[in-house]
Amino acid sequence: MPLPVPVLPEGVDPAWLPPEAFRPLGSRRTLIRGSGPLVDTVHGEVAEACARFGGSVERDASPEPCDLVLELSGADASEAFTSERADGRTTVRATGGAGLLYGFFHVVRLGEAAFQGERPRQTHRPTLAQRMLDHWDNVAVHPVMGQVERGYSGGSLFWRDGRARGDLERVRVYGRLLAACGINAVAVNNVNVHETEARLLTERIGDVARIADALRPYGISTHLSVTFAAPIVLGGLDTADPLDARVRRWWERATAEVYEAIPDFGGYLVKADSEGRPGPFAYGRSHADGANMLAAALEPYGGTVRWRAFVYDHRQDWRDRSTDRARAAYDHFVPLDGEFAENAVLQVKHGPMDFQVREPVSPLIGAMPNTRLAVEVQATQEYTGQQRHVCWLGPMWSEALRFRPEGTTRVGDLADGLVAVSNAGADPFWTGHPLAQANLYTFGRLAWEPDADPRAVLDDWIRLTFPDAPERLVGGLHAVLDGSWRTYEKYTAPLGVGFMVQPGHHYGPSVDGYEYSPWGTYHFADRDGVGVDRSAATGTGYAAQYAKPWAEVYESPSSCPDELLLFFHHVVYGHMLHSGKTVIQHIYDTHFEGVEEVAAAREVWASLDGLVDPARHARVAERFEEQLRSAREWRDQINSYFFRKSGVPDERGRTLY
Ligand code: GCU
């Protein structure tokens, strides 16, 4: 039986699945073979497209005559599929329902091209098994963080007024969008698990089960963030010691009940001993002890524990120059390599700090060969313009995924999974800034194929989101998005030094906002120079956490790449970059350029008026006003700050304050 396609609620943007994207497939004759719930999903999709565009669909009939065959020939868990076109017929074959679903969306993505010429048989298989979105959604509105922590897209898609939303049709639509870009897992609540959220694990598991039901038809498994202190908070025990038999039993029982409610539940996500969250340290136990206890509870059901490596001292004394937050994850976790259970995955932020616009790849990645690792990126733009600024992160993620920690294997091949903190919410455009949809889409595609060219992925996003777009629109969107990450970098914190944001909410410039704070994020600017000495010879030793060749490359200012210079070294303002500019002149130039680039992108967008729907055009235009205002504020504060510190004038005589 075909499963009806979820109905887009009134006023909600169809994102990369507008009805017109289905025209090529929907106007043809399709044969579907095989059975199972995901085949029903695909059947519903094809039926809907055909009803709209005049094509036809048959199930399990003889194959004559038809243009497209979608065939499932097994019932395994494989997500792979093959595609080919011969003798005027396009064929997609899979041995698992998920593979057929991804094969179907592959045909949608190809559009007309899927039905033209001959195409040799190709096998498509995701490089990364886990392609996951973590929602930092609070069930109840948090007094400081609101409904969604670091959320810039309105309320939560899942939760409202302390409960799961009554109507979950939009969650079904969301699942469909995610499947269309290859995402297969979601964690539905904030890693900072407050009291209401803690109860999702026990008395509120029914709410989670409803969400899981809504996501399942698109091959998405549901995960829950849990608090390590649950046996105390929910179970009334006096300890959460992972080696205590009562604690272990409590988790076993709780987990059994979770699986009773959600038989295909994905597992737990845990932020422990991190920024004040409870964890195993309180009992003198290691992170492996903590993770393995949960892994043991999940193991009988095939579940996984995702344990975050974001562990550092957030009560540091800024006078203490020996403690370096960048070192923390490696120092805590590398000694535990090999100790984690088979069904435990260590989830590591892509950089050593916290989702800054420029960071080196975390040295932990590649340093734990006997541990399953997932790499975490941030689609929600906490530090990259909070979805008020255009900042397409595809190139940044791609650089991280293509990085070779030991000079050989790429990050994208070392990891088990890629995870993004979601940027989606109840906003009618899903992502606040309509162009931030491109980040969500690109994330999914890079998780499937970390080596993909992000610009080609962006092209797919454009052509799906704006079917029949004239070349002027396609070119304009590329002009606005392609270089937007580098533009953002230009007008914010320079040369990898990071932060310089306003404390707390993290929007807008405050050069010294974190300079004397306990969070461990500093730049050490004085009258002579700026940057953090992380060399082994004279600094914190962080550079030595890398394998060769990177330990050597980063150790010396002469070999360190310009864009990371101030992350690794404290240098004088007159230090000459590889680019041939001094550090101070680089700061001035990039900040002027950054603002000019935003102004130019704003003009490009204005020129697209009439080519995109008015509501979307207006929303982006309005955000460009704020981006330009903010970029000028960044430019003037950063440039004036360094001019006042250094006393060095701009060699081009532009205004500094
Ligand atoms: C950042 C962010 C927090 C979040 C944390 C995390 O520090 O500001 O809101 O909780 O990352 O990743 O756990």
Side-chain angles (χ1 to χ4, degrees):
M1 281 291 286
L3 183 78
V5 173
V7 180
L8 191 69
E10 179 84 32
V12 174
D13 187 66
W16 50 87
L17 292 180
E20 298 73 33
F22 295 83
R23 183 189 297 276
L25 182 143
S27 54
R28 290 187 160 82
R29 296 159 303 181
T30 298
L31 170 67
I32 298 175
R33 297 178 127 178
S35 61
L38 295 183
V39 185
D40 294 342
T41 300
V42 170
H43 189 175
E45 287 282 349
V46 178
E48 159 105 3
C50 291
R52 191 180 291 268
F53 295 109
S56 64
V57 56
E58 287 198 74
R59 185 132 169 206
D60 295 321
S62 60
E64 297 295 332
C66 69
D67 308 296
L68 173 66
V69 178
L70 300 168
E71 181 175 287
L72 176 68
S73 62
D76 64 23
S78 169
E79 296 181 305
F81 63 92
T82 64
S83 65
E84 65 187 298
R85 181 164 173 81
D87 305 327
R89 181 179 297 157
T90 304
T91 305
V92 170
R93 287 198 185 87
T95 56
L100 197 74
L101 181 68
Y102 295 126
F104 162 76
F105 281 119
H106 176 74
V107 173
V108 174
R109 185 160 67 240
L110 289 177
E112 268 310 317
F115 301 100
Q116 280 158 10
E118 301 268 301
R119 280 175 175 265
R121 190 182 163 119
Q122 272 186 321
T123 301
H124 307 259
R125 163 172 303 121
T127 304
L128 299 173
Q130 317 153 45
R131 307 175 300 279
M132 180 165 180
L133 287 176
D134 287 359
H135 279 261
W136 287 357
D137 294 17
N138 297 315
V139 175
V141 175
H142 184 268
V144 180
M145 289 300 172
Q147 180 88 67
V148 180
E149 180 157 338
R150 311 307 181 185
Y152 314 103
S153 309
S156 164
L157 288 166
F158 307 120
W159 315 102
R160 198 172 59 192
D161 303 332
R163 298 300 302 248
R165 285 176 178 268
D167 179 358
L168 293 176
E169 191 67 0
R170 187 162 177 190
V171 173
R172 292 189 182 87
V173 175
Y174 185 55
R176 179 177 187 239
L177 285 168
L178 300 189
C181 63
I183 292 164
N184 67 358
V186 160
V188 294
N189 63 308
N190 192 0
V191 286
N192 295 316
V193 184
H194 311 293
E195 210 189 311
T196 311
E197 289 71 24
R199 296 183 188 286
L200 292 175
L201 175 64
T202 50
E203 64 207 63
R204 291 288 183 84
I205 195 65
D207 281 21
V208 184
R210 288 186 52 235
I211 294 170
D213 289 345
L215 293 170
R216 186 176 299 111
Y218 283 89
I220 292 162
S221 69
T222 297
H223 297 66
L224 204 53
S225 296
V226 297
T227 169
F228 195 76
I232 302 173
V233 183
L234 304 173
L237 298 185
D238 56 3
T239 177
D241 182 347
L243 300 191
D244 186 305
R246 292 168 303 152
V247 171
R248 298 178 77 86
R249 257 199 316 278
W250 187 86
W251 278 109
E252 278 161 22
R253 270 201 300 270
T255 305
E257 280 169 30
V258 169
Y259 276 91
E260 211 156 283
I262 312 169
D264 57 352
F265 179 70
Y268 300 139
L269 172 64
V270 192
K271 173 175 179 177
D273 291 317
S274 165
E275 299 186 328
R277 309 316 302 169
F281 285 165
Y283 311 98
R285 311 297 185 197
S286 77
H287 279 261
D289 294 332
N292 291 346
M293 167 189 62
L294 296 176
L298 289 158
E299 197 273 334
Y301 313 96
T304 304
V305 59
R306 287 146 212 275
W307 191 269
R308 295 179 84 229
F310 186 54
V311 177
Y312 69 100
D313 180 2
H314 71 292
R315 296 208 183 89
Q316 223 173 284
D317 186 339
W318 61 270
R319 300 163 193 85
D320 162 21
R321 297 287 297 252
S322 65
T323 305
D324 179 6
R325 173 170 165 180
R327 290 187 59 115
Y330 182 104
D331 286 343
H332 280 297
F333 286 96
V334 169
L336 301 177
D337 188 30
E339 290 184 24
F340 287 90
E342 268 294 299
N343 60 329
V345 174
L346 193 61
Q347 190 162 308
V348 188
K349 289 191 181 185
H350 68 92
M353 298 297 279
D354 197 9
F355 304 132
Q356 300 304 293
V357 68
R358 175 72 68 173
E359 290 188 39
V361 167
S362 168
L364 192 54
I365 302 169
M368 299 185 68
N370 302 307
T371 306
R372 292 172 66 193
L373 292 188
V375 177
E376 184 180 301
V377 300
Q378 199 184 39
T380 196
Q381 291 168 239
E382 175 177 1
Y383 296 100
T384 49
Q386 303 200 347
Q387 280 137 260
R388 290 189 243 182
H389 299 217
V390 185
C391 188
W392 176 54
L393 295 165
M396 173 168 103
W397 297 335
S398 173
E399 269 185 27
L401 291 166
R402 292 181 190 204
F403 182 77
R404 298 170 193 270
E406 288 162 332
T408 50
T409 315
R410 296 171 198 230
V411 167
D413 295 314
L414 276 170
D416 258 40
L418 191 67
V419 179
V421 184
S422 176
N423 62 352
D427 169 55
F429 284 104
W430 300 92
T431 52
H433 199 305
L435 299 180
Q437 289 177 4
N439 281 331
L440 194 53
Y441 182 83
T442 305
F443 164 76
R445 293 285 306 281
L446 288 179
W448 179 282
E449 187 188 354
D451 205 20
D453 171 5
R455 206 173 168 282
V457 172
L458 183 63
D459 212 48
D460 286 344
W461 175 76
I462 292 173
R463 290 177 194 279
L464 283 169
T465 307
F466 304 92
D468 309 318
E471 280 313 305
R472 193 157 72 81
L473 176 56
V474 175
L477 286 161
H478 272 296
V480 165
L481 285 161
D482 284 1
S484 55
W485 165 53
R486 283 177 192 277
T487 298
Y488 187 84
E489 180 180 28
K490 282 184 177 181
Y491 62 79
T492 57
L495 296 166
V497 74
F499 287 89
M500 300 192 170
V501 288
Q502 296 199 22
H505 58 71
H506 297 165
Y507 185 76
S510 174
V511 181
D512 284 334
Y514 278 108
E515 195 57 16
Y516 307 100
S517 89
W519 296 90
T521 56
Y522 314 117
H523 57 69
F524 301 113
D526 58 24
R527 65 179 187 175
D528 299 316
V530 57
V532 191
D533 185 353
R534 294 193 160 106
S535 69
T538 54
T540 68
Y542 167 80
Q545 290 185 337
Y546 286 87
K548 278 183 187 166
W550 300 108
E552 284 160 9
V553 169
Y554 294 144
E555 176 67 15
S556 156
S558 64
S559 50
C560 183
D562 283 351
E563 67 272 13
L564 288 170
L565 183 68
L566 302 184
F567 189 90
F568 282 100
H569 298 282
H570 186 91
V571 298
V572 296
Y573 293 114
H575 176 91
M576 195 60 80
L577 295 168
H578 301 294
S579 69
K581 285 184 186 178
T582 60
V583 164
I584 190 73
Q585 194 57 40
H586 172 95
I587 292 175
Y588 297 149
D589 285 353
T590 49
H591 284 77
F592 284 110
E593 279 163 30
V595 173
E596 283 159 21
E597 288 171 16
V598 174
R602 176 171 157 271
E603 288 310 303
V604 172
W605 185 259
S607 78
L608 302 178
D609 195 10
L611 296 180
V612 287
D613 61 283
R616 190 190 313 256
H617 194 272
R619 171 81 75 95
V620 174
E622 164 201 310
R623 293 199 176 211
F624 260 125
E625 296 307 309
E626 166 55 18
Q627 183 175 359
L628 189 57
R629 184 209 62 76
S630 174
R632 287 190 178 123
E633 192 62 32
W634 272 99
R635 174 194 67 192
D636 293 340
Q637 287 204 26
I638 299 260
N639 281 352
S640 300
Y641 179 96
F642 285 105
F643 173 54
R644 291 179 190 179
K645 282 264 163 173
S646 69
V648 180
D650 171 34
E651 65 187 27
R652 291 171 58 188
R654 290 163 293 194
T655 306
L656 305 170
Y657 299 90

